[in-house]
Amino acid sequence: MKNIIKWIILGTILLAIFSMTMMKTPEEITKTLTMVTSELTLFSAFVHILSLAVIAVGLLFKKTRNILFFLLIAFLALSATIVSIKYMILPNILIFATIFILIINAYLKKELNFEFEELKPVNKYFGIVGMIFGFWYLHWVETPIWLNALLYSPLGSINCPTLLTICAFLCLTKKPRSVMLEFVTALITVYFGFFGIFRLGAYVDVVLIICALFLIIRLSPSLTNKDVFEKENIKNV
């Protein structure tokens, strides 16, 4: 019963998020996200450096990997929540606050396990692709886009690069995994992938759709299980 209530609450939040994204025109959204990116270039550069440093240390020292990668994706979600509050981007507040809570819950339940050695290559492939385009997000930055995206794309500030990077890290986890965290994050990411392509002309968002659909396909056996509302562990792929 407790899990059923959680799913109902999450479903309500998702409906609210999707509804609110339609309340502003593409022009208004573009103006806001461009402003956020331009005003937070130094912060975005800091997030890039911090993230790369954490990843490097996590890859080198296996014993600290879980806590470091957990802290990083939790930081990205919390950072995007705070930025959204500052600029009053209501859908993003709900998105990243929800994902932040789910990340904390998954870690406390030992459902965030970054054991790369036990992963099949397909998980690593989608994780690496998602991470590359999350850090090197080719939109919302000034020309030359190829260079500026590498330096200060809005990771940890706005939807798409932050969602994509979190998805990438989730691709690199082994069982047991959190159905709620993966499904909610992937569903939101797929939605914003299509939203970015068809409403904002951000064609790079096709990568969001690809990585998020991989997560959904990977957890689909658990979603079709009749006990999904009581059991949240996902078998390894």
Side-chain angles (χ1 to χ4, degrees):
M1 178 59 71
K2 185 184 293 186
N3 273 348
I4 293 175
I5 294 172
K6 288 180 182 178
W7 281 106
I8 291 173
I9 293 172
L10 287 172
T12 303
I13 292 172
L14 289 174
L15 286 174
I17 290 169
F18 299 153
S19 298
M20 284 190 288
T21 59
M22 296 299 175
M23 294 174 64
K24 290 189 176 182
T25 66
E27 291 76 19
E28 290 174 313
I29 296 170
T30 297
K31 181 179 178 181
T32 299
L33 297 184
T34 301
M35 177 182 66
V36 172
T37 303
S38 64
E39 291 184 1
L40 297 180
T41 52
L42 289 179
F43 175 71
S44 297
F46 164 76
V47 174
H48 278 226
I49 294 169
L50 174 66
S51 300
L52 291 172
V54 169
I55 291 170
V57 174
L59 291 175
L60 288 173
F61 301 100
K62 183 179 177 181
K63 290 184 178 180
T64 63
R65 185 181 301 159
N66 267 13
I67 183 66
L68 285 175
F69 286 5
F70 151 69
L71 288 174
L72 178 57
I73 61 174
F75 166 76
L76 292 176
L78 181 60
S79 168
T81 303
I82 294 171
V83 169
S84 302
I85 292 172
K86 172 180 171 58
Y87 290 93
M88 286 306 296
I89 308 174
L90 297 182
N92 289 14
I93 295 172
L94 280 179
I95 290 167
F96 292 109
T98 300
I99 292 176
F100 175 73
I101 292 169
L102 291 175
I103 289 171
I104 299 296
N105 182 63
Y107 182 77
L108 293 177
K109 294 173 69 174
K110 301 187 184 303
E111 293 175 344
L112 274 178
N113 304 287
F114 297 96
E115 302 293 339
F116 300 159
E117 296 77 9
E118 300 180 29
L119 285 178
K120 290 186 177 181
V122 65
N123 297 276
K124 296 178 183 179
Y125 173 78
F126 283 99
I128 292 170
V129 169
M131 207 169 290
I132 289 172
F133 285 95
F135 282 86
W136 191 41
Y137 184 70
L138 301 168
H139 206 76
W140 306 120
V141 295
E142 298 177 355
T143 54
I145 292 175
W146 297 88
L147 174 62
N148 288 335
L150 186 64
L151 298 175
Y152 63 84
S153 63
L155 177 62
S157 299
I158 65 174
N159 311 54
C160 296
T162 309
L163 287 169
L164 180 55
T165 302
I166 293 173
C167 270
F169 274 95
L170 294 180
C171 288
L172 299 175
T173 59
K174 76 174 190 70
K175 67 174 184 178
R177 304 182 181 107
S178 169
V179 172
M180 284 187 180
L181 172 59
E182 290 202 5
F183 180 69
V184 170
T185 303
L187 187 62
I188 292 173
T189 303
V190 166
Y191 174 80
F192 277 100
F194 283 109
F195 188 92
I197 292 171
F198 293 107
R199 294 267 287 170
L200 305 178
Y203 299 110
V204 69
D205 285 355
V206 68
V207 186
L208 277 77
I209 298 170
I210 292 170
C211 285
L213 284 179
F214 169 74
L215 280 180
I216 292 173
I217 292 169
R218 190 177 73 174
L219 62 82
S220 58
S222 294
L223 290 173
T224 56
N225 190 321
K226 64 180 180 180
D227 296 325
V228 68
F229 294 112
E230 300 300 330
K231 300 177 182 178
E232 294 185 27
N233 290 347
I234 305 175
K235 292 183 178 180
N236 196 24
V237 174

